[in-house]
């Protein structure tokens, strides 16, 4: 795709027009064009900028790719400011190639917004930039392919009904073997709860999926999965493709209506929950949707508080630490619930510093975690894997090292992949998995 | 000289007022009317009251910045507090408060001493902080690499205002009676002699330029911060 594509004059005009349109766009974008004081604080608080300090990784400089263009093309007011900066009014094909590279260096983790004196969230500008290159067909290959796959099959992995049912059957037999009793994964049944993980869990992180099933069993909840909507992951958030994001979110909505559930419960996937709860859900389908949208950590913490779960922390004696997926901590406020659960399931829980909403991103955010090659991004000097291992993941790696933990719990499919690769790459003796993996070990079931 | 005096003292003030008011109204309306989806940054404020409490706290103590960059926090906090003090002090340039002084049992001399010490101190401190911000912008690589011409221009403008202000206070000892008389005339559209102190003229001129520039440049962070914080704090 991107390698062969030639950027035409029409493409450039399209890009410029999208930037111009910001002047009547969302309030946050308008403000971010106007109020950045170039104080440099975000450069100190962004993991990318810290790990690889140079102008292009400076969040304010990356945002300036769009901001400068906006100021030449915006209203008269902003033009005056543009004049002072002596900017020439052109966007070259090369500039657009630069956009693809630079906007895919930001993981959209929103840490900068926690420290900016005005709360400027540079990820909003990043997403705008990505949306523009996506509209020109220039998204990194893997991003575009995953979306296509998802539109075709309803999940990012391209699983069919048969392969999904196979996976479910396999997991049920594993559960039987592990616990010595049958633990069901109900599919397409009317129930109180529709459970939606990231479909990657079914294939790549089966222990997490098994732990979730065991939890529903142990708590005695009425739940089901849907063969039509078992993937909460949604790359529309990463590519800036709002239409795709809405299409994919509709699968969940439709399944909830069809199965008449009271709750949509998202599993261990940060961005899936953010979209289901904060971006989509009631905002797409109306405030009167007949089901509540929540998350498996929230209901598990409730069941635990109610005394419905019996857990033996001695089953997990190794030192365990917790990685706050940014989409849980900063974007949906799921912060204490996973910790409550971890403390109940382990004997040696250790916090990283900084943690919670100040946590460093794993370096795989914004969809980066699934990309390994250069993905057809012309200007990439290194592969995405190289970049994630040596730049994006650097702050996280040091944090994990400091804890001395042997198990790193990261409840997000993207974080898991990034962190597994990171630990491998740097020869760290640390296992990476979910929170419910540990729950599955610690839980005491009635036989 | 006479022409410049008339322009700065009798024409420009009206232009300043019109440009500033229309510019800022335009911006505020634009921001207010713009649609915005939820993009709360957690932990969120629990109630609207809580949200505003956090915004006000940010405005007064710059908590985010404190967590993000301590030296800059110290410098810029002192800088902004000095601006606030100086702006309050400037009310005396336009009018006096005999009643207030009576209530506080302060004689003219006491008021002058207060003004000289507090105003003088603020004038010096803000000069030092202005220089600090400029040096930081030039010396710290991560700041320098994102600095544009208008970042330097605004700093230069502010420093120009500070220096001319300090000259009036410490060198030419500007007499406030002159300016009060002048401002009363200005507001009642009467023609009265514009104070002739060149430091005053330059100070007044640069100050007006700054006010004109507020709706167009980075000074928009002053009103903008209420809006941008409101977006990420809301629940
Ligand atoms: S911290 Fe905020 S104001 Fe400062 S440079 Fe970054 S985005 Fe701009
Ligand atoms: S969103 Fe994260 S990666 Fe992007 S600029 Fe901000 S801190 Fe850096
Ligand atoms: S991959 Fe994980 S840490 Fe990283 S952005 Fe997603 S949730 Fe955040």
């Amino acid at each position: 795709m991107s390698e062969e594509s030639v950027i035409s004059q029409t493409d450039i005009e399209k890009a410029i027009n999208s930037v111009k349109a910001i002047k009547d766009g969302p309030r946050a974008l308008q403000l971010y064009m106007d109020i950045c004081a170039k104080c440099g604080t975000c450069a100190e608080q962004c993991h990318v900028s810290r790990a690889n300090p140079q102008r292009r990784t400076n969040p304010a400089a990356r945002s300036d790719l769009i901001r400068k263009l906006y100021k030449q093309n915006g209203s008269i007011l902003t033009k005056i400011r543009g004049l002072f900066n002596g900017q020439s009014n052109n966007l070259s094909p090369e500039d657009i190639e630069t956009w693809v590279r630079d906007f895919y260096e930001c993981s959209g983790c929103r840490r900068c917004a926690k420290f900016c004196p005005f709360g400027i969230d540079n990820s909003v500008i990043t997403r705008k930039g990505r949306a523009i290159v996506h509209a020109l067909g220039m998204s990194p290959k893997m991003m575009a392919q995953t979306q296509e796959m998802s539109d075709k099959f309803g999940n990012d992995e391209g699983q069919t009904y048969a392969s999904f049912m196979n996976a479910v059957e396999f997991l049920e037999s594993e559960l039987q073997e592990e616990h010595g009793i049958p633990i069901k994964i109900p599919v397409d049944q009317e129930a109180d709860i529709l459970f939606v993980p990231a479909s990657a869990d079914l294939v790549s992180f089966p222990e997490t999926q098994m732990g979730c099933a065991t939890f529903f069993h142990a708590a005695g909840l009425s739940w089901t999965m849907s063969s039509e909507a078992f993937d909460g992951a949604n790359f529309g958030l990463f590519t800036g493709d709002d239409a795709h994001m809405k299409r994919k979110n509709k699968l969940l909505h439709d399944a909830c209506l069809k199965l008449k559930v009271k709750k949509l419960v998202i599993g261990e996937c940060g961005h899936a929950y953010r979209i289901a709860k904060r971006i989509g859900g009631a905002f797409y389908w109306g405030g009167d949707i007949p089901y509540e949208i929540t998350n498996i950590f929230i209901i598990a913490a409730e069941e635990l508080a109610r005394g419905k779960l019996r857990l033996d922390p001695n089953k997990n004696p190794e030192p365990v630490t917790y990685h706050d997926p940014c989409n849980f901590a900063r974007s949906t406020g799921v912060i204490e619930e996973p910790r409550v659960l971890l403390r109940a399931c382990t004997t040696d829980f250790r916090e990283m510093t900084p943690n919670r909403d100040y946590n460093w991103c794993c370096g795989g955010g914004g969809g980066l975690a699934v990309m390994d090659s250069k993905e057809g991004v012309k200007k990439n000097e290194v592969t995405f894997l190289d970049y994630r291992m040596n730049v994006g993941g650097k702050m996280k790696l040091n944090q994990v090292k400091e804890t001395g933990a042997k198990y790193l719990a990261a409840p997000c499919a993207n974080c898991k992949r990034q962190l597994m690769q990171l630990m491998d790459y740097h020869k760290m003796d640390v296992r990476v998995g979910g929170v419910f993996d540990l729950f599955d070990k610690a839980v005491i079931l009635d036989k | 000289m006479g022409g410049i005096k008339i322009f700065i003292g009798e024409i420009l003030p009206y232009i300043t007022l019109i440009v500033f008011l229309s510019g800022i109204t335009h911006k505020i309306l634009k921001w207010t009317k713009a649609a915005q989806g939820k993009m709360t940054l957690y932990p969120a404020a629990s109630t609207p009251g809580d949200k505003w409490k956090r915004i006000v706290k940010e405005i007064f103590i710059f908590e985010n910045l404190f967590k993000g960059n301590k030296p800059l926090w110290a410098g810029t906090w002192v800088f902004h507090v000095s601006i606030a003090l100086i702006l309050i002090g400037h009310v005396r340039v336009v009018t006096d408060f005999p009643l207030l002084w009576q209530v506080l049992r302060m004689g003219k001399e006491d008021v002058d001493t207060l003004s000289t010490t507090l105003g003088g101190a603020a004038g010096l401190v803000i000069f030092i902080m202005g220089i600090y911000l400029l040096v930081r912008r030039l010396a710290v690589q991560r700041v320098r690499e994102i600095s544009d011409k208008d970042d330097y221009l605004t700093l230069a403008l502010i420093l120009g205002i500070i220096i001319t202000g300090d000259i009036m206070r410490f060198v030419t000892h500007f007499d406030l009676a002159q300016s009060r008389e002048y401002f009363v005339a200005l507001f009642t559209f009467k023609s009265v002699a514009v104070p002739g102190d060149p430091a005053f003229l330059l100070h007044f001129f640069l100050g007006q330029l700054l006010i004109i520039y507020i709706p167009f440049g980075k000074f928009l962070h002053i009103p903008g911060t209420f809006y941008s914080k409101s977006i990420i704090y809301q629940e």
Side-chain angles (χ1 to χ4, degrees):
Chain A
M1 300 179 69
S2 332
E3 292 141 316
E4 308 92 43
S5 72
V6 188
I7 301 168
S8 66
Q9 197 49 43
T10 344
D11 289 341
I12 289 183
E13 268 159 35
K14 223 167 130 185
I16 292 181
N17 285 336
S18 306
V19 171
K20 274 188 195 169
I22 291 175
K23 77 180 200 318
D24 298 309
R27 186 183 303 149
L29 259 180
Q30 286 192 34
L31 282 162
Y32 299 169
M33 295 297 112
D34 287 333
I35 66 172
C36 172
K38 302 293 175 63
C39 72
T41 304
C42 48
E44 300 301 318
Q45 301 301 342
C46 164
H47 59 293
V48 180
S49 165
R50 275 284 280 275
N52 181 21
Q54 52 170 304
R55 187 177 187 278
R56 90 172 195 228
T57 63
N58 194 317
R62 187 187 299 109
S63 294
D64 259 357
L65 294 174
I66 285 189
R67 203 152 32 211
K68 290 206 166 159
L69 199 62
Y70 173 80
K71 279 178 194 155
Q72 305 148 10
N73 292 289
S75 64
I76 309 168
L77 296 188
T78 52
K79 254 182 211 147
I80 293 179
R81 190 174 178 190
L83 280 181
F84 278 123
N85 294 327
Q87 289 139 356
S88 62
N89 185 4
N90 52 36
L91 180 70
S92 69
E94 209 201 319
D95 292 337
I96 297 188
E97 303 281 4
T98 307
W99 283 23
V100 190
R101 179 193 66 194
D102 291 5
F103 287 125
Y104 275 91
E105 285 189 339
C106 162
S107 70
C109 73
R110 309 182 78 197
R111 192 171 198 269
C112 45
K114 285 294 279 191
F115 296 95
C116 168
F118 318 121
I120 293 178
D121 178 353
N122 286 289
S123 82
V124 172
I125 302 173
T126 291
R127 189 164 185 274
K128 180 73 193 174
R130 288 183 179 194
I132 294 173
V133 301
H134 186 73
L136 301 183
M138 290 180 61
S139 286
K141 273 184 180 164
M142 190 65 181
M143 292 288 111
Q145 278 166 8
T146 308
Q147 284 205 178
E148 277 166 31
M149 180 83 86
S150 196
D151 277 333
K152 205 158 149 200
F153 292 94
N155 65 83
D156 292 352
E157 266 68 32
Q159 295 190 54
T160 58
Y161 177 78
S163 63
F164 169 67
M165 291 312 285
N166 271 342
V168 167
E169 224 169 273
F170 169 74
L171 292 174
E172 282 181 339
S173 71
E174 289 284 301
L175 282 164
Q176 164 90 38
E177 198 169 303
E178 195 175 316
H179 295 288
I181 51 166
I183 293 173
K184 289 272 141 217
I185 299 180
V187 176
D188 296 337
Q189 291 171 13
E190 289 190 7
D192 290 347
I193 288 171
L194 171 67
F195 176 63
V196 179
S199 61
D201 284 9
L202 294 163
V203 194
S204 315
F205 315 112
E207 280 100 347
T208 302
Q209 173 67 28
M210 283 159 62
C212 295
T214 311
F215 158 69
F216 286 119
H217 175 92
L221 297 170
S222 142
W223 73 295
T224 185
M225 288 187 71
S226 160
S227 65
E228 283 156 10
F230 54 87
D231 186 19
N234 193 330
F235 275 41
L237 180 67
F238 306 147
T239 57
D241 186 342
D242 289 331
H244 177 85
M245 191 158 67
K246 192 164 178 178
R247 273 201 302 278
K248 185 129 190 213
N249 185 253
K250 187 162 190 307
L251 296 179
L252 307 191
H253 176 63
D254 289 346
C256 284
L257 297 184
K258 189 170 163 191
L259 300 171
K260 303 196 178 62
V261 297
K262 296 197 192 91
K263 279 183 185 172
L264 168 62
V265 175
I266 304 292
E268 292 199 0
C269 181
H271 82 277
Y273 185 51
R274 177 172 171 198
I275 295 168
K277 178 87 180 169
R278 304 284 161 200
I279 303 176
F283 304 102
Y284 282 170
W285 319 115
D288 52 353
I289 47 172
Y291 55 92
E292 180 197 340
I293 300 162
T294 181
N295 177 273
I296 192 155
F297 289 114
I298 296 173
I299 60 169
E302 278 169 16
E303 297 299 331
L304 190 67
R306 248 183 243 150
K308 291 263 288 282
L309 304 169
R310 281 194 297 146
L311 297 161
D312 177 8
N314 293 314
K315 292 280 172 56
N316 295 306
E318 69 213 315
V320 171
T321 188
Y322 178 69
H323 163 68
D324 284 273
C326 350
N327 277 318
F328 272 135
R330 277 190 280 279
S331 287
T332 55
V334 178
I335 298 173
E336 297 308 326
E337 296 87 348
R339 290 181 161 76
V340 170
L341 218 55
L342 278 174
R343 288 212 179 83
C345 293
T346 65
T347 51
D348 185 0
F349 175 68
R350 303 174 180 186
E351 286 285 2
M352 296 184 205
T353 0
N355 55 45
R356 296 181 164 83
D357 48 316
Y358 289 105
N359 201 22
W360 291 108
C361 172
C362 63
L368 300 194
V370 301
M371 296 196 281
D372 291 331
S373 72
K374 288 192 182 175
E375 306 293 348
V377 179
K378 239 191 207 157
K379 284 208 159 186
N380 272 5
E381 293 115 7
V382 297
T383 63
F384 273 100
L385 181 69
D386 254 344
Y387 172 76
R388 287 191 284 114
M389 297 302 107
N390 299 310
V391 180
K394 195 171 160 195
M395 303 303 285
K396 190 88 252 168
L397 177 71
N398 294 337
Q399 256 195 309
V400 176
K401 269 187 194 160
E402 278 164 25
T403 64
K406 291 281 167 244
Y407 186 94
L408 169 55
C412 164
N414 284 337
C415 307
K416 277 188 189 111
R417 183 168 202 266
Q418 157 74 0
L419 292 169
M420 278 177 185
Q421 288 177 322
L422 190 68
M423 295 303 122
D424 260 8
Y425 187 94
H426 295 282
K427 310 216 160 30
M428 295 270 294
D429 178 24
V430 178
R431 278 192 308 128
V432 178
V435 172
F436 279 88
D437 309 36
L438 298 177
F439 175 90
D440 203 28
K441 292 218 184 86
V443 72
I444 304 168
L445 298 172
D446 302 324
K447 305 246 161 154
Chain B
M1 186 67 195
I4 295 175
K5 236 166 89 169
I6 290 171
F7 176 70
I8 297 176
E10 299 192 59
I11 301 170
L12 189 59
Y14 301 112
I15 298 177
T16 303
L17 202 69
I18 291 166
V19 175
F20 171 75
L21 285 180
S22 47
I24 205 78
T25 316
H26 171 83
K27 263 293 162 206
I28 300 262
L29 282 179
K30 199 118 193 28
W31 289 340
T32 312
K33 276 193 290 195
Q36 180 58 49
K38 281 203 176 176
M39 45 176 283
T40 311
L41 199 63
Y42 287 81
S46 43
T47 59
D50 185 32
K51 179 180 93 179
W52 281 103
K53 220 163 79 194
R54 280 166 70 170
I55 294 176
V56 168
K57 202 165 150 203
E58 263 295 325
I59 304 294
F60 280 101
I61 66 172
F62 303 180
E63 200 179 3
N64 274 14
L65 190 57
F66 180 77
K67 288 181 184 141
N69 186 336
K70 299 252 178 339
L72 176 60
W73 173 83
T76 198
W77 191 79
V78 172
F79 184 72
H80 283 85
V81 168
S82 312
I83 293 181
L85 280 180
I86 289 167
L87 283 181
I88 293 170
H90 270 67
V91 177
R92 288 191 68 234
V93 176
V94 184
T95 178
D96 200 13
F97 305 94
L99 272 176
L100 178 71
W101 309 135
Q102 240 172 41
V103 174
L104 295 174
R105 297 180 186 285
M106 289 169 72
K108 183 179 177 333
E109 252 155 57
D110 300 327
V111 176
D112 282 345
T113 318
L114 180 80
S115 151
T116 314
T117 21
L118 216 62
L124 282 180
V125 168
I126 198 172
F127 174 68
I128 295 165
M129 288 305 147
I131 296 288
Y132 161 75
L133 290 179
L134 181 61
V135 169
R136 176 177 180 274
R137 200 166 276 293
L138 287 165
V140 179
Q141 178 53 29
R142 300 316 305 267
V143 186
R144 187 184 173 141
E145 69 194 17
I146 50 171
S147 297
D148 272 327
K149 291 196 189 77
D150 75 330
D151 297 307
Y152 293 111
L153 203 83
T154 42
L155 256 179
L157 190 58
I158 290 177
L159 275 171
I161 295 170
I162 295 172
I163 291 167
T164 46
D166 281 347
I167 289 177
M168 274 188 281
R169 176 167 292 282
F170 299 115
V171 183
T172 62
H173 300 288
F174 184 75
D175 180 5
L176 291 182
Q178 280 180 67
S179 66
R180 280 176 202 149
E181 204 178 314
Y182 159 69
F183 278 109
V184 169
L186 188 68
F187 289 131
T188 48
F189 301 98
K190 279 184 203 125
S191 177
V192 153
V194 181
D197 182 343
F200 169 83
L201 281 178
L202 194 53
H203 185 75
F204 192 40
F205 175 65
L206 294 176
Q208 294 187 75
L209 280 192
L210 186 146
I211 293 170
I212 288 179
Y213 194 50
I214 288 177
F216 304 95
K218 65 192 291 194
F219 295 125
L220 276 176
H221 72 258
I222 307 162
T225 187
F226 290 93
Y227 283 83
S228 59
K229 289 273 150 127
S230 202
I231 293 173
I232 57 168
Y233 286 165
Q234 78 166 338
E235 169 53 321

